Structure formats: structure tokens, C-alpha cells
């Protein structure tokens, strides 16, 4: 390690935020809060913590992993499927959603899109 590499690693650790993401689906008996770093997709964090959520493409190009943000904020700038109205209504694709605050997301919401 060079000193510059070490300092860059320290800066990354200090600047990394970790958020509480509350995942809810009454139909699928899900009501759990997970920890999710600001640089990890919600779907990936959920899987790492033992929660199975639906997915297909993992690229933000379909609706299989759709959720609905009912509290807090996310960054889903990598998605290409949802239109502006759907995003304004709170819909998100958990496979490409980074938390930007503590948030609550209704999961298993693909049917609600249509």
C-alpha cells in the first residue's frame, strides 16, 4: 500500500453512509428493516441479509423487482424502465436503487404498476 492508497481507502470509509431500509409486503409476510450502504443496491443488500425479493434482469430494464418508496429517498438513476409518472408516484426498481436516506419501500409491487 502506498500512503495515497491508504488515505483514499480511509476517505471512502469515512464518507460512506449506511441507511436503514424498511421493506414491507403484507401479502408476502415481509416487515423487516435492513442496513444498506449508500453504494449498494437495495436488492443486493436484502439478499445478503437473507431476504428474498423478486428480480429478473438486475439492470433496471424490467419491472420484476418493482417496489414503491413511501418514505425517504433513493437514487435510481441507472434504471431505464419506469416513466416519469411512475417515479413521481414513488415506484422504484430495487435492483438499481441506492438509498439516499433511511426509507420505507413496499416490495413485490410489480402488479401495482399496471
Amino acid at each position: 500500500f502506498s500512503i495515497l492508497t491508504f488515505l483514499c481507502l480511509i476517505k471512502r470509509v469515512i464518507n460512506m453512509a449506511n441507511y436503514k431500509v424498511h421493506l414491507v409486503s403484507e401479502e408476502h409476510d415481509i416487515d423487516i428493516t435492513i442496513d444498506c450502504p449508500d453504494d449498494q443496491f437495495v436488492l443486493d443488500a436484502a439478499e445478503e441479509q437473507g431476504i428474498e425479493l423478486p428480480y429478473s434482469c438486475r439492470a433496471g430494464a424490467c419491472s420484476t423487482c418493482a417496489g414503491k418508496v413511501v418514505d425517504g429517498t433513493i437514487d435510481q438513476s441507472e434504471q431505464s424502465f419506469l416513466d416519469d409518472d411512475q417515479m413521481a408516484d414513488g415506484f422504484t426498481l430495487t435492483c438499481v436503487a441506492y438509498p439516499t436516506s433511511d426509507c420505507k419501500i413496499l416490495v413485490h409491487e410489480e402488479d401495482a404498476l399496471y
Side-chain angles (χ1 to χ4, degrees), residues 6-104:
F6 179 73
L7 292 174
C8 287
L9 287 172
I10 294 297
K11 181 180 180 199
R12 174 157 167 68
V13 169
I14 290 171
N15 290 335
M16 188 172 75
N18 198 43
Y19 297 109
K20 300 288 184 189
V21 178
H22 186 188
L23 304 172
V24 178
S25 172
E26 288 184 24
E27 181 181 344
H28 295 90
D29 200 30
I30 297 171
D31 187 353
I32 190 163
T33 300
I34 62 169
D35 291 316
C36 187
D38 64 354
D39 65 347
Q40 185 175 31
F41 296 131
V42 170
L43 176 64
D44 294 339
E47 285 182 333
E48 282 184 7
Q49 294 172 59
I51 295 104
E52 292 184 26
L53 297 178
Y55 67 89
S56 182
C57 73
R58 288 191 173 274
C62 75
S63 60
T64 304
C65 69
K68 188 168 186 179
V69 179
V70 294
D71 190 32
T73 58
I74 52 97
D75 170 5
Q76 62 178 341
S77 56
E78 296 179 29
Q79 76 87 26
S80 60
F81 183 83
L82 300 174
D83 64 33
D84 290 341
D85 289 338
Q86 290 167 322
M87 288 187 292
D89 287 342
F91 286 100
T92 186
L93 302 178
T94 60
C95 73
V96 292
Y98 296 108
T100 55
S101 72
D102 291 343
C103 56
K104 180 178 179 179

